[in-house]
Amino acid sequence: MQEFDVVVIGGGPGGYVAAIRCAQLGLRTACVDAWINKQDEPALGGTCLNTGCIPSKALLDSSEHFHRVQHRLGVHGINVKECTLDLATMIKRKDEIVRGLTGGVAALFLKNKVTWIKGQARLLNNTQIEISPTHPKHPKQQTVQAKHIIIATGSAPTPLSSLPIDQKNIVDSTGALDFTEVPKRLAVIGGGVIGLELGSVWQRLGSEVTVLVRGTNLLGKCDETVATEAQRLLVQQGLDLRFNASPVAFNSKNKLSQLVYRDTQGEQTLKVDKVLVATGRSPNTHGLGARAAGIQIDDKGFIIVDHQWRTSLPNVYAIGDVIGGAMLAHKASEEGVAIAERIAGQSGHVNYATIPWVIYTWPEIAWVGETAQALRDKGIEYKSGSFPFKANGRARAMDETNGFVKILADAQTDRILGVHVIGPYASEMIAEAVVAMEFSASSEDIARTAHAHPTLSEAMHEAALAVDKRTLHF
Ligand code: FAD
Ligand code: NAI
């Protein structure tokens, strides 16, 4: 039986990063992963690299180019006579990016001497894992021994009983990354992150996209003013948002498909070609044998851990989507590094207060820390400063004037409590705010820091000045 210091179950951004860090720290490490990719090969990278962050961003970028060439170049004096879509090439490019990156993780495993075991893991107890084959080329059933086990088995789309996924008419996020033609009418169930990102992709490529939103608010996790601006811009782009809407059924007869949903007016029908179900993700513990091995799992299926990612079974830890919290790749990776360091006797930690969020619509939405509404709910007094991109020179040069930066700072100490950006490349801009908050900066610290001119980041500088009501350019 092979023996390891650490066996990581799951090769997503939580698991593969944990495995690499363990190996860097001198621990004999294996990573077991069950993933079989589109090309019918075992692949590392988990949801993030194979069917999540990376392929969705590849299509978001491609579709944004398509939309820009058609609608946004005229203002620059560039007239494009004909712009046609070659969807097969767009999808192939996405697949090549995925393959390149997942192959890159395999190369990193080789470089760091992490043993990659291809198969489905089942915990027998807190030191033994049984691995069953998931691919005919790797048929070996085996049991391995580990001093420490890290569970990083991730999550999967939450199914809706009224709309079972067939990946043809009714798809989940994985299916929506691989349409072979642009659906004329796409209904999206769920106005969350996936719904808005993938809804944007297909809307830019020509679909009429209707989004059914369960409640009255879109983007409930965002700061209230950002959510309002995002909704305005998404509607302006052509997304048809229907609020208080819950799906009832999908009927398909004689090539005519209809989605039946219920809203405050009663039952409605919508002609559709495809339906994307994007109603959240659930933890992946299926077949893992966690409960049988004595690991406590909550009523939603998340593995219960303490503040050092310890499960109820000694020397067995869990990280990433399977423990809940923000279901984000970088949150999973941070936990992976921290737990590896703890196993090696160091004191790795994760500052959950400074985990950034990004939604890759256009404009992008990014934030870190508290929203204004959360501060009010907690009774924390705050000052707020905002600066619009329409007053930023670089944004005007780019013809990207929608959105703003908003900084929330403690009313007494001026310590930054939250930063919210909706605008061009908000995903890149938020890094400055994350570093500032990590160092407990005040808004005055950002206000006193030189920002290159002309850059989008000057909007961050001006928002910090605005906290003290001394913005210079607005
Ligand atoms: P996963 O990436 O889900 O990996 C888990 C791995 O464990 C998988 O490879 C699985 O095969 C394996 N596994 C499960 N059970 C077993 C078993 N018993 N034995 C062996 N292997 C097993 N996050 C972001 O931060 N930014 C984004 O832009 C972003 N975009 C996304 C877009 C989409 C469409 C989706 C679906 C998700 C997106 N996410 C994004 C979320 C992100 O993908 C997840 O938060 C992240 O992948 C979680 O990492 P993880 O390592 O916990 O799990
Ligand atoms: P989500 O939690 O963002 O949104 C799900 C939406 O579906 C919510 O608005 C919810 O109200 C709605 N909903 C739930 N049940 C419903 C029902 N029965 N009927 C109608 N609506 C219903 O989940 P989503 O979009 O599926 O994404 C899952 C997770 O993946 C995200 O929370 C995020 O953690 C991660 N992700 C991150 C991305 C990023 O960082 N840019 C991109 C995509 C996904």
Side-chain angles (χ1 to χ4, degrees), residues 163 249-253 255-261 268-273 275:
L163 297 174
F250 176 83
N251 306 317
S252 190
K253 219 189 250 172
K255 288 194 179 166
L256 182 75
S257 302
Q258 282 187 329
L259 176 70
V260 183
Y261 69 93
Q268 315 285 347
T269 53
L270 190 67
K271 277 191 195 160
V272 291
D273 298 292
V275 179

Side-chain angles (χ1 to χ4, degrees), residues 10 13-14 33-34 46-48 52-53 57 120-121 153-154 281 321 327-329:
D33 194 278
T47 306
C48 171
C53 323
K57 267 78 251 179
Q120 172 87 17
T153 48
R281 293 179 61 84
D321 280 10
M327 286 184 159
L328 296 174

Side-chain angles (χ1 to χ4, degrees), residues 9-15 32-35 43 45-54 56-57 119-122 152-155 173 177 194 197-198 281 284 286-288 319-322 326-330 332 358 360:
I9 305 177
V32 190
D33 194 278
W35 199 282
T47 306
C48 171
L49 267 60
N50 288 284
T51 56
C53 323
I54 297 299
S56 61
K57 267 78 251 179
Q120 172 87 17
R122 188 169 69 89
T153 48
S155 64
S173 56
L177 294 169
I194 292 179
E197 288 190 0
L198 293 182
R281 293 179 61 84
N284 234 341
H286 180 73
L288 180 65
I319 58 167
D321 280 10
V322 78
M327 286 184 159
L328 296 174
H330 44 284
V358 177
Y360 295 80

Side-chain angles (χ1 to χ4, degrees), residues 44 58 83 103 230 263 279 319 376 390 402 419:
L44 291 164
C83 171
D263 65 11
T279 50
I319 58 167
R376 281 200 306 274
K390 69 180 180 208
N402 283 320
V419 177

Side-chain angles (χ1 to χ4, degrees), residues 40 129 146 305 339 462 471:
D40 192 32
I129 300 165
V305 292
I339 191 56
E462 289 277 1
T471 179

Side-chain angles (χ1 to χ4, degrees), residues 36 48 59 70 72 79 120 134 141 178 194 218 226 234 236 276 300 306 339 341 351 377 409 423 442:
I36 304 298
C48 171
L59 291 185
Q70 284 184 309
R72 303 204 49 201
N79 297 311
Q120 172 87 17
T134 46
Q141 173 102 18
D178 275 321
I194 292 179
L218 196 69
V226 170
L234 290 169
Q236 199 180 68
L276 161 60
K300 291 197 171 129
D306 68 7
I339 191 56
E341 293 176 351
N351 182 359
D377 287 349
S442 61

Side-chain angles (χ1 to χ4, degrees), residues 367-388:
W367 73 94
V368 56
E370 302 279 9
T371 61
Q373 61 271 27
L375 290 174
R376 281 200 306 274
D377 287 349
K378 291 177 186 175
I380 298 171
E381 283 182 43
Y382 65 93
K383 305 178 280 182
S384 171
S386 295
F387 188 81

